[in-house]
Amino acid sequence: MSVTSLTLILLIVMIVAFVLSSIKLKSPDISMVVAAVVIAIVGTFMFPDLGNPTRYLVEGLFVNLDLAMLFIAASLFVNIYAHSGAISTITRGIVEKIHNKWLLMSIMGILMLIPGALTGAGSVSIFVLGGIVDTVLESLGISKKKRTVFIFFFAIMSAAAPPINLWTMLMTAQANMPYVGFTWLLLVPILIASAICIVFIGWGAEPTDREEVLKKIPEKTQGMTWWRILLPIATIVALFLVSLYFPWNIPVLGLPLMFVIAAVVAFLCDPVKATGKQWLGILDGTMEQVFPLVANVLSIGVLQSAMAATGVRGLIGSTCVGLPLVLIYSLILIVGPICQGCFNYGCSVVLGGPLIFMFNTMGMDVTVICAALSLIFPIGDCLPPSRIVGRLACEETGYKESYMGFLKTALVPVLAIGLIAVLMIVKPIWFTFLY
């Protein structure tokens, strides 16, 4: 039997192991690890030269360790900043002073983009701002279904927004590309699709009593001044800019340490000094909040290592390279989100990496294509089996109606960002001016 046939058998074994464990365990993260262990063991029997499979599994745990540290540090910063009352103070001030429906919705959308953009996880945006945004949208007379779609859409867009886009990070790491030039390539399509989403959600809504809304928003924290609000954000922005424009004049800090420094600044700016027990509660809550994401990136690393060692990743890559372009263009908007629903961020390794290699061999601008793929993949966060962000959005707003009805309503803003991304893949040369 040829090597290709044996590798194909391993691919089928991996898929079967993943599907069966997903059905039984209801966890994409554990299922990816199970699939990795299975193909590592079976692959050792098929290819004895691979050696001990434990080595590949352990190595996989360290593939994305830096990303896991980044999520923990960034989420800690966001939670400390939110605990200080800065976010609720900003929101209350906006609601009190702004009376235009479209402007208020736009500001709520921009605010939701920030936590996910800083942490790489849309779920963090829901945890931090979902309740406040839901209250504000309710005051504008928007139905519960549309409020859920709004929160879901801006949550997935926050995960795709710069500076931290995990799908892009994983694809560039796999393809040995620098993680540079993606800021406007990601931000401009997100802003265009966000504008379409705001018009779609807000059309026909009639605002209700503003005073009732203000009663549901936490009061301004005593002693919270503007310099206390702006200094932590200014710190992280300044560290980004200094490391970007003066890389030879400062030590290499790294994103995790930058967020730790900003978290310390946010702690010092808190006007109400919390007790040690309260801060331990914040740390504990942060770890509980970010644990699924950390488990996801570590399980992706284990699966990636096992697939690379056994040749499965190479088989997928060579198959993608051999597909007609028309077929890829036609199916990417369907296959990409489905892959995200199954593998979560692992889709950037299973599908994204091979596509990047394929387009690179054709001489196309893979920076634009990488950005486009990382705009398509988040759409799958509302699809089973994981449907992480979709489920969280429904829980945040208390939406109890048909989940299919929610998906149909979300189709308009999702198609907006999806079609822009497909256009970026088909004609990447049109978008090179953005980096």
Side-chain angles (χ1 to χ4, degrees):
M1 190 176 293
S2 66
V3 173
T4 302
S5 301
L6 291 174
T7 309
L8 181 60
I9 293 173
L10 281 176
L11 175 61
I12 296 172
V13 168
M14 184 192 77
I15 294 173
V16 171
F18 177 81
V19 171
L20 292 178
S21 56
S22 295
I23 295 172
K24 184 68 176 177
L25 302 174
K26 310 294 184 183
S27 171
D29 307 328
I30 299 177
S31 299
M32 280 192 281
V33 175
V34 171
V37 171
V38 170
I39 64 167
I41 294 173
V42 176
T44 302
F45 286 108
M46 288 186 172
F47 306 106
D49 292 340
L50 289 177
N52 191 341
T54 306
R55 178 164 67 91
Y56 306 109
L57 301 176
V58 173
E59 286 176 355
L61 287 172
F62 295 91
V63 170
N64 298 321
L65 184 60
D66 55 336
L67 295 178
M69 293 173 61
L70 172 60
F71 293 143
I72 295 172
S75 299
L76 181 63
F77 163 70
V78 170
N79 285 338
I80 291 176
Y81 188 66
H83 180 267
S84 69
I87 292 177
S88 58
T89 301
I90 293 171
T91 306
R92 190 175 185 87
I94 290 170
V95 174
E96 286 176 344
K97 295 178 181 179
I98 297 178
H99 303 282
N100 182 277
K101 176 180 71 174
W102 300 112
L103 182 57
L104 191 56
M105 288 182 66
S106 300
I107 293 175
M108 289 297 104
I110 291 172
L111 285 177
M112 275 208 72
L113 289 177
I114 295 172
L118 293 177
T119 62
S123 57
V124 174
S125 290
I126 297 179
F127 291 138
V128 174
L129 282 169
I132 293 175
V133 171
D134 181 49
T135 300
V136 174
L137 294 181
E138 186 179 8
S139 74
L140 299 177
I142 297 172
S143 67
K144 185 174 289 187
K145 183 188 293 184
K146 284 193 171 183
R147 297 201 306 269
T148 306
V149 171
F150 183 96
I151 291 173
F152 161 75
F153 180 78
F154 279 95
I156 63 172
M157 289 298 96
S158 71
I164 299 174
N165 180 311
L166 180 57
W167 296 279
T168 303
M169 285 180 168
L170 288 169
M171 283 186 284
T172 52
Q174 188 179 10
N176 201 23
M177 293 168 53
Y179 182 62
V180 293
F182 292 98
T183 300
W184 294 108
L185 278 174
L186 294 169
L187 198 56
V188 170
I190 287 173
L191 293 177
I192 294 172
S194 296
I196 294 172
C197 176
I198 289 170
V199 172
F200 172 72
I201 298 296
W203 193 264
E206 294 295 333
T208 57
D209 186 13
R210 186 173 299 272
E211 293 302 320
E212 291 297 321
V213 181
L214 291 173
K215 291 179 182 178
K216 299 179 181 179
I217 298 177
E219 293 289 338
K220 294 180 180 178
T221 304
Q222 191 69 27
M224 178 57 72
T225 57
W226 281 108
W227 73 265
R228 293 179 184 271
I229 293 174
L230 295 177
L231 189 56
I233 298 295
T235 299
I236 193 67
V237 171
L239 290 173
F240 278 144
L241 293 178
V242 169
S243 63
L244 181 64
Y245 293 106
F246 304 99
W248 308 113
N249 298 328
I250 62 169
V252 178
L253 298 176
L255 287 175
L257 182 56
M258 290 181 188
F259 278 109
V260 170
I261 294 172
V264 172
V265 173
F267 167 76
L268 296 175
C269 290
D270 190 349
V272 182
K273 300 305 179 184
T275 63
K277 186 176 180 180
Q278 288 176 315
W279 287 117
L280 285 175
I282 294 174
L283 291 172
D284 182 63
T286 299
M287 290 307 299
E288 184 176 352
Q289 180 188 88
V290 79
F291 181 78
L293 189 60
V294 172
N296 187 257
V297 296
L298 293 181
S299 61
I300 289 168
V302 173
L303 181 63
Q304 177 181 345
S305 181
M307 290 173 64
T310 57
V312 170
R313 192 175 74 176
L315 177 65
I316 295 175
S318 60
T319 303
C320 288
V321 170
L323 289 176
L325 269 181
V326 175
L327 193 60
I328 294 175
Y329 294 151
S330 304
L331 296 179
I332 187 60
L333 201 52
I334 298 173
V335 177
I338 291 175
C339 192
Q340 170 70 16
C342 293
F343 290 103
N344 289 343
Y345 294 100
C347 64
S348 56
V349 173
V350 175
L351 183 63
L355 286 176
I356 293 298
F357 285 122
M358 185 205 74
F359 284 112
N360 186 53
T361 59
M362 298 173 60
M364 300 177 73
D365 195 309
V366 289
T367 301
V368 176
I369 292 171
C370 187
L373 290 173
S374 64
L375 293 173
I376 290 175
F377 290 143
I379 296 172
D381 278 333
C382 63
L383 299 178
S386 59
R387 59 189 182 94
I388 296 174
V389 180
R391 183 175 68 248
L392 284 175
C394 291
E395 291 174 357
E396 191 65 50
T397 61
Y399 178 76
K400 303 293 185 183
E401 299 175 33
S402 167
Y403 191 78
M404 185 58 67
F406 157 73
L407 291 179
K408 289 179 180 177
T409 305
L411 195 59
V412 171
V414 159
L415 276 179
I417 190 65
L419 292 176
I420 293 172
V422 170
L423 182 61
M424 291 172 68
I425 295 174
V426 175
K427 293 291 184 180
I429 192 67
W430 292 355
F431 298 88
T432 52
F433 71 96
L434 291 174
Y435 74 94

